[in-house]
Amino acid sequence: MGMRPKIGLEVHAQLLTDSKMFCGCSTRFGETANSQCCPVCSGVPGTLPVANRKAVELVIRTGLALGCEVAERCRFARKNYFYPDMPKNYQISQYEEPLTYDGRIDVDVDGDTHRIRIRRVHLEEDTGKNFHLPDGTSLVEYNRAGTPLMEIVTEPDFSSAEQVRAYLTSLREIVRYIGVASGNMEEGAMRCEPTVNIVDDETGERTECVEIKNLASIRGVYEAVKYEVRRQRRAVEDGEPIRQETRRWSEEKQETQLMRTKESAGDYMYFPDPDLLPMVPAAEWDIDKIRQSLPELPDALRARFMNDYGLPEYDAGVLTASKAMADYFEEVVGLCNDAKAASNWVMGDLSRMLNSAGLGIEASPVSPAGIAELLGLVQAGKITGKIAKDVFETMFETGQAAATIVESGGLEVVGGEDELGPIIDQVIAENAAAVADYREGKKKAKGALVGGVMKLTKGQADPQQVNRLIDEKLLS
Ligand code: ZN
Ligand code: MN
């Protein structure tokens, strides 16, 4: 059966503003219930909304990063429906005139690049939150009501759950890079609703669109889309109809379940909000200035890391996972001039220590200059790579500089013939069997000799030098 999945995606992301969309209330997360609301965001009749300038700017910023056009003129609309978490009985959103439109994200899946068109990025307000208690009562919390929210809507351009996952990963990375949203799905700061149906391109046969809600992670979205495609395929095979409906994802049962038959745009009776003036972004905001203030985006950064520093694709991917990590890496390279070594340290020892300490790279106790100094000691042959790892751990734990730790611990390389010579002689004398084997051409026997020297020097000898000196003594 040649039915192909056709998937579209709506993403809502809370914007990183200090105050709400249409009033001055704080957006801080986790405060006492209903302590951050006022007559405007709790919908008291007769109050008037005033748009948050910063929120508008952050949506323009996002639109530009996604290659969108910025509208010359746009308006807020009322989306009418009743639900206890929305005391006005309408949500202020944008309908026919979004702030930005016509963008794209290119996703790579299994070596193929797919262009996902972005229909619009618009601005709206978040709703409050209902809590349903076990005893049957419900509570309403308005702290979140009126939080600035942007909605990013794609065309139905995805044909697999893998593409959806790649898109979300990329989108979340971009909003974090440009500093407009936290993208934390676990906190509800980013929420996605995929719409799934399957179509037969030849016959035009298609199922109705099904929207899935209640997804709390990118993994959840991926599993839900996969499940829903399977469910619809099976229904078509069995000759059962797929209705247009909204389904929820059950994390527990790993299945989508019917929530309600889907409402359509007409049900919301959208109309322009008469309390808010139309906006003219180009005249009011300096669009070019916002464009120029955008940082290099992750894809471009990855390409540059591979081209300019000759890094493998894997390294470039890991190092650009966050802007903070990419910046940290570039600072180290700028100071030490050895990109691969810098990459190994940042991806390896530094990341390992940060993970076990539960710290982000922004809070690293070792600065880029500190790592560069340590690398310099290795490059100059002052300490061995193995000792450097121990020094690094001490730097991380105590905040001391590499040179200080090396000096006070007497950790410099034991080197030169006069220092190493007698030690090697001792090892040769104590390992007659290995010496004989090595002289007979058993290369492996050398390991015991090098190991013996490293043990006596507490790992402070340069292994290459030790190797060379052993050969000089035994093979010449
Ligand atoms: Zn308020
Ligand atoms: Mn919305």
Side-chain angles (χ1 to χ4, degrees):
M1 184 130 344
M3 301 284 279
R4 177 178 69 81
K6 199 170 173 185
I7 305 153
L9 203 60
E10 284 180 19
V11 173
H12 287 90
Q14 288 180 347
L15 293 166
L16 291 174
T17 57
D18 294 332
S19 59
K20 290 189 180 179
M21 187 59 227
F22 297 110
C23 62
C25 291
S26 167
T27 53
R28 243 190 334 270
F29 185 73
E31 297 294 312
T32 312
N34 294 314
S35 65
Q36 295 177 164
C37 34
C38 71
V40 174
C41 58
S42 49
V44 174
T47 53
L48 284 173
V50 178
N52 182 327
R53 194 178 171 85
K54 177 84 182 181
V56 177
E57 187 183 318
L58 294 183
V59 171
I60 295 176
R61 198 169 162 76
T62 308
L64 292 174
L66 300 177
C68 291
E69 303 289 328
V70 178
E72 287 186 12
R73 178 181 182 281
C74 72
R75 262 198 300 195
F76 287 104
R78 291 187 182 180
K79 181 181 183 180
N80 297 281
Y81 65 97
F82 169 77
Y83 206 61
D85 64 10
M86 204 186 52
K88 293 197 298 290
N89 291 342
Y90 59 84
Q91 177 194 25
I92 304 179
S93 180
Q94 295 189 304
Y95 185 52
E96 284 158 320
E97 297 164 275
L99 181 48
T100 69
Y101 55 91
D102 284 354
R104 72 209 147 29
I105 287 184
D106 289 337
V107 294
D108 288 320
V109 175
D110 299 331
D112 287 326
T113 302
H114 303 268
R115 170 148 297 189
I116 307 300
R117 290 168 300 161
I118 289 168
R119 186 183 297 164
R120 55 194 283 156
V121 183
H122 76 238
L123 187 54
E124 57 187 40
E125 57 177 343
D126 211 343
T127 59
K129 227 173 168 177
N130 293 325
F131 291 91
H132 305 291
L133 305 183
D135 70 359
T137 53
S138 293
L139 302 172
V140 199
E141 216 278 82
Y142 290 129
N143 281 1
R144 195 180 74 176
T147 296
L149 206 58
M150 77 178 156
E151 181 173 331
I152 303 150
V153 185
T154 74
E155 299 292 342
D157 286 349
F158 302 93
S159 52
S160 71
E162 285 74 17
Q163 290 174 10
V164 173
R165 181 172 58 188
Y167 168 88
L168 282 173
T169 306
S170 179
L171 177 65
R172 188 173 60 179
E173 208 172 64
I174 291 169
V175 298
R176 287 177 173 169
Y177 257 69
I178 64 177
V180 299
S182 76
N184 287 338
M185 290 187 73
E186 312 72 38
E187 286 175 12
M190 182 164 130
R191 312 193 284 271
C192 330
E193 282 143 29
T195 300
V196 179
N197 70 339
I198 53 176
V199 292
D200 187 323
D201 286 331
E202 275 169 37
T203 63
E205 189 192 347
R206 42 161 290 180
T207 57
E208 293 294 329
C209 291
V210 170
E211 190 180 319
I212 313 170
K213 293 196 182 284
N214 194 28
L215 299 158
S217 66
I218 291 181
R219 190 185 161 72
V221 179
Y222 172 76
E223 297 294 347
V225 168
K226 261 186 113 102
Y227 176 91
E228 186 57 26
V229 168
R230 242 187 353 255
R231 184 184 77 88
Q232 294 192 17
R233 280 222 162 99
R234 205 169 301 146
V236 170
E237 281 165 22
D238 296 349
E240 283 166 16
I242 289 287
R243 290 178 307 264
Q244 179 178 328
E245 62 192 25
T246 300
R247 298 176 74 85
R248 77 164 70 81
W249 173 243
S250 163
E251 192 63 53
E252 208 182 336
K253 297 201 167 135
Q254 294 283 301
E255 64 178 27
T256 62
Q257 302 165 339
L258 177 66
M259 247 172 114
R260 56 175 183 259
T261 49
K262 170 99 176 116
E263 58 289 309
S264 60
D267 297 334
Y268 289 117
M269 299 295 285
Y270 280 97
F271 65 89
D273 192 314
D275 288 343
L276 286 152
L277 288 169
M279 289 192 291
V280 192
E284 279 237 25
W285 279 266
D286 190 338
I287 308 287
D288 281 335
K289 208 169 145 198
I290 298 176
R291 197 191 304 274
Q292 280 153 19
S293 74
L294 285 173
E296 202 173 5
L297 296 178
D299 276 348
L301 202 55
R302 268 189 281 282
R304 188 165 64 76
F305 278 13
M306 288 193 278
N307 287 332
D308 290 9
Y309 300 127
L311 290 179
E313 190 177 350
Y314 175 80
D315 291 37
V318 174
L319 293 171
T320 54
S322 76
K323 183 163 159 32
M325 188 153 185
D327 288 347
Y328 189 104
F329 164 75
E330 287 217 276
E331 247 186 279
V332 179
V333 180
L335 295 165
C336 82
N337 247 323
D338 182 343
K340 185 56 187 155
S343 164
N344 289 346
W345 275 94
V346 173
M347 295 197 311
D349 293 79
L350 176 64
S351 295
R352 180 176 53 79
M353 294 290 284
L354 287 171
N355 281 342
S356 63
L359 293 173
I361 200 161
E362 303 88 340
S364 171
V366 179
S367 68
I371 290 204
E373 187 200 347
L374 179 66
L375 264 167
L377 293 175
V378 179
Q379 284 167 344
K382 293 228 168 70
I383 55 171
T384 64
K386 186 173 172 299
I387 291 289
K389 287 180 177 287
D390 298 337
V391 172
F392 177 75
E393 289 198 4
T394 311
M395 291 168 73
F396 195 96
E397 279 152 11
T398 65
Q400 283 180 294
T404 315
I405 297 164
V406 169
E407 201 177 313
S408 64
L411 300 172
E412 291 93 351
V413 163
V414 176
E417 283 220 51
D418 27 326
E419 262 184 289
L420 280 176
I423 297 170
I424 291 175
D425 289 341
Q426 184 190 340
V427 171
I428 287 174
E430 286 169 359
N431 292 275
V435 169
D437 283 350
Y438 186 51
R439 280 194 164 130
E440 276 166 31
K442 290 181 187 158
K443 295 243 187 288
K444 270 192 180 165
K446 194 182 186 182
L449 302 172
V450 176
V453 176
M454 296 311 279
K455 203 172 163 193
L456 286 175
T457 57
K458 298 195 186 82
Q460 285 168 244
D462 171 17
Q464 274 183 337
Q465 201 184 8
V466 172
N467 267 286
R468 187 174 50 77
L469 289 172
I470 288 176
D471 284 351
E472 274 174 23
K473 284 183 191 284
L474 295 184
L475 300 182
S476 54

